[in-house]
Amino acid sequence: LSVQEAERISSILLLFSQADRVVKADLAKPAALAGILAVVGGGSAGLPRALVSAYLKVLRAVRFLSGDAFALDALQNAGAVATLVSLLSRGEHVTASVTASVTVGVTVGAREPSEVESQAMLALYNLCKVNKARQEQAAGAGIVSPLMRLIACNSPLRQLAIPLLCDLVHAGEVSRRHLWKQDGLAFYLRLLELKYWQSTALNCVAVWIGASDQDA
């Protein structure tokens, strides 16, 4: 596949992802999504520089699709949640051992998120914000640690990461188990330092304690 062909195909996919639902419906078919997510899941790190632009267009197409409610189940069934979590997790090297050494609200190793991180986070937020099954799927795929990293590093994406992390405690036992492994309760307590999120964080702590009492 030449650079010109990759650009042409990715531009068409991006255009279709913003079209009406009749066009989007074809893009959301299992065979089409399987091919798109196979490209997205490979990441951009190992690509020649000339192909990065085409890759980002394909990733943006997924993000635009995730913004339409009718495509959410199709994306979930195609494995989009795990694919996008994998992309988000590849930034973990930026700040290691977030929960152990970082106070929430203090900028440590802060940087502008990459375009890949931004698009992956936006798509995951769209997929997971009102769906507990997808939230549990994301937790199982490893989303807890990258969300904590984005919050602790004061990333611009924290405004999406905080509500999504807080939703996980409500999602179910699977999510809470993954939160426990990452010292989630202590992290929620540290979120109390952020005035805007105090009420939400306090609710998370209450839900966690209530769930623990039920499990006891």
Side-chain angles (χ1 to χ4, degrees), residues 6 19 24 45 56 73 88 103 117-118 130 157 162 165-166 185 190 195 208:
K24 285 182 179 179
L56 290 174
D73 286 342
L88 204 60
T103 300
E117 281 182 308
S118 296
V130 293
L157 296 174
I162 291 175
L165 185 70
C166 290
L185 181 57
R190 289 201 288 274
K195 185 175 182 181
W208 189 300

Side-chain angles (χ1 to χ4, degrees), residues 41-188:
S44 62
L47 292 176
R49 183 173 297 180
L51 289 176
V52 172
S53 172
Y55 173 84
L56 290 174
K57 287 178 183 178
V58 178
L59 181 55
R60 289 188 196 108
V62 173
R63 194 260 292 177
F64 279 117
L65 272 181
S66 74
D68 201 320
F70 95 96
L72 294 177
D73 286 342
L75 285 165
Q76 178 183 0
N77 293 336
V81 172
T83 298
L84 293 166
V85 170
S86 175
L87 291 182
L88 204 60
S89 298
R90 292 174 196 178
E92 282 300 312
H93 65 280
V94 176
T95 302
S97 192
V98 165
T99 57
S101 60
V102 174
T103 300
V104 173
V106 177
T107 303
V108 177
R111 64 183 176 90
E112 287 298 309
S114 70
E115 182 68 9
V116 172
E117 281 182 308
S118 296
Q119 296 299 323
M121 185 70 242
L122 286 164
L124 281 166
Y125 183 79
N126 289 339
L127 279 159
C128 297
K129 61 183 175 181
V130 293
N131 188 283
K132 290 185 177 181
R134 287 193 283 270
Q135 289 166 12
E136 294 241 281
Q137 197 174 50
I143 199 173
V144 173
S145 183
L147 290 180
M148 288 180 172
R149 169 179 57 85
L150 292 171
I151 295 165
C153 290
N154 208 18
S155 165
L157 296 174
R158 72 188 293 176
Q159 298 306 315
L160 300 176
I162 291 175
L164 187 48
L165 185 70
C166 290
D167 282 344
L168 293 181
V169 75
H170 299 270
E173 184 181 348
V174 172
S175 293
R176 287 191 291 273
R177 187 162 62 246
H178 287 284
L179 284 164
W180 181 264
K181 291 177 181 177
Q182 299 292 332
D183 203 12
L185 181 57
F187 202 87
Y188 288 137

